[in-house]
Amino acid sequence: MATAALKEILPPSLTSVSDQPPLFDGTTRLYTSYTCPFAQRVWITRNYKGLQEKIKLVAIDLGDRPAWYKEKVYPENKVPSLEHNGKVIGESLDLIKYVDANFEGPSLVPSDPAKKEFGEKLVSEVDSVTRELFSALKGDAIQQTSFVFDSLENALGKFDDGPFFLGQFSWVDIAYIPFIERFQVVLAEVFKHDITEGRPKLRAWIEEVNKIDAYAQTRTDPKEIVELFKKRFLVVQNPQQ
């Protein structure tokens, strides 16, 4: 497991009035947002591999984006993106594997064929899983998310050599945890529901991921998560409130 590190001092988020950092000057930059779960995946990957000195964080304020980001850095105008070796590439799941393959540090993709195959399957399903979770907020959130969390509980039982999806911490855990983090908070705070109740493997997984400094340093303040979800996703008030 990656060694513990001192908590990083994070640079301020850049806004529409911020100057653009140099581009293609040899510095590797991860353009991110401190509250975006997709960007968080690559931020965790960077931290876990001990690349804090080799990959510089450039935070973007998604509510007040600098025009230069779309015009000169990444036309998709999304985060995350990675500036490396004279090009800028995006898509969080692709970037987890890219950083893992192109930089030093502990590997996040296991060599064991069975684990590799199961990992690919789980990662191929993560987008549909997150869509189901967000969709559930429009209906009976507790009932509609229960199938998703039951499925994760089952998946966590596949390998018994550790508490993570593939036994040991891997890119699969990184793909899922930013979203599970947010839904655990929202379902607890807004709907008074504990997603780990009756799911001991899910509970152990969350507890163990929380112990990993590389992840813990990327977590969003729970109050901020709740406010963001209330503003963007919880249009219909929960009848329990």
Side-chain angles (χ1 to χ4, degrees):
M1 187 171 292
T3 55
L6 293 174
K7 189 167 179 63
E8 185 175 10
I9 298 173
L10 302 177
S13 296
L14 302 182
T15 68
S16 58
V17 297
S18 301
D19 292 333
Q20 180 186 352
L23 188 65
F24 304 140
D25 63 347
T27 301
T28 300
R29 296 179 176 88
L30 172 60
Y31 293 87
T32 187
S33 161
Y34 299 135
T35 58
C36 172
F38 297 96
Q40 187 181 5
R41 288 168 167 167
V42 193
W43 187 9
I44 297 167
T45 304
R46 161 199 183 258
N47 290 356
Y48 190 78
K49 293 180 75 71
L51 300 169
Q52 287 88 339
E53 297 297 320
K54 296 196 173 181
I55 300 180
K56 181 180 178 182
L57 293 180
V58 179
I60 301 294
D61 183 337
L62 298 182
D64 186 23
R65 301 177 206 218
W68 51 256
Y69 182 63
K70 179 179 181 179
E71 293 168 1
K72 298 180 180 179
V73 179
Y74 191 51
E76 297 286 337
N77 204 27
K78 301 186 296 184
V79 293
S81 69
L82 185 75
E83 174 190 339
H84 182 237
N85 282 351
K87 62 183 185 293
V88 177
I89 53 179
E91 299 302 328
S92 62
L93 295 175
D94 293 339
L95 285 175
I96 296 173
K97 293 189 83 171
Y98 180 89
V99 172
D100 191 48
N102 287 277
F103 293 86
E104 63 190 29
S107 177
L108 286 161
V109 179
S111 55
D112 177 86
K115 290 187 174 185
K116 197 167 187 177
E117 181 181 359
F118 190 60
E120 293 282 358
K121 175 180 180 293
L122 289 176
V123 171
S124 73
E125 296 169 350
V126 68
D127 286 341
S128 62
V129 166
T130 55
R131 278 195 298 270
E132 286 182 47
L133 289 173
F134 281 107
S135 177
L137 296 177
K138 301 172 185 174
D140 184 338
I142 297 173
Q143 181 66 32
Q144 290 178 239
T145 57
S146 64
F147 173 76
V148 173
F149 296 123
D150 287 344
S151 297
L152 295 179
E153 177 75 8
N154 290 334
L156 285 162
K158 175 80 171 177
F159 298 102
D160 60 5
D161 59 332
F164 304 105
F165 280 109
L166 305 183
Q168 305 306 305
F169 189 70
S170 75
W171 74 305
V172 179
D173 305 293
I174 292 174
Y176 278 87
I177 192 58
F179 295 92
I180 305 308
E181 168 193 333
R182 284 158 176 76
F183 277 87
Q184 182 184 28
V185 167
V186 169
L187 288 169
E189 295 297 322
V190 179
F191 297 90
K192 311 305 177 191
H193 176 65
D194 179 4
I195 66 170
T196 68
E197 186 175 346
R199 301 182 181 104
K201 293 183 179 66
L202 184 63
R203 181 188 298 274
W205 176 70
I206 292 171
E207 288 175 353
E208 291 302 314
V209 174
N210 280 333
K211 293 176 184 176
I212 297 175
D213 287 337
Y215 162 68
Q217 294 187 15
T218 71
R219 293 187 64 182
T220 300
D221 184 324
K223 290 181 181 177
E224 196 171 348
I225 290 174
V226 171
E227 288 308 309
L228 181 64
F229 270 65
K230 282 182 175 178
K231 189 184 298 183
R232 293 187 60 188
F233 306 113
L234 297 169
V235 179
V236 179
Q237 290 298 309
N238 174 27
Q240 295 178 21
Q241 289 183 305

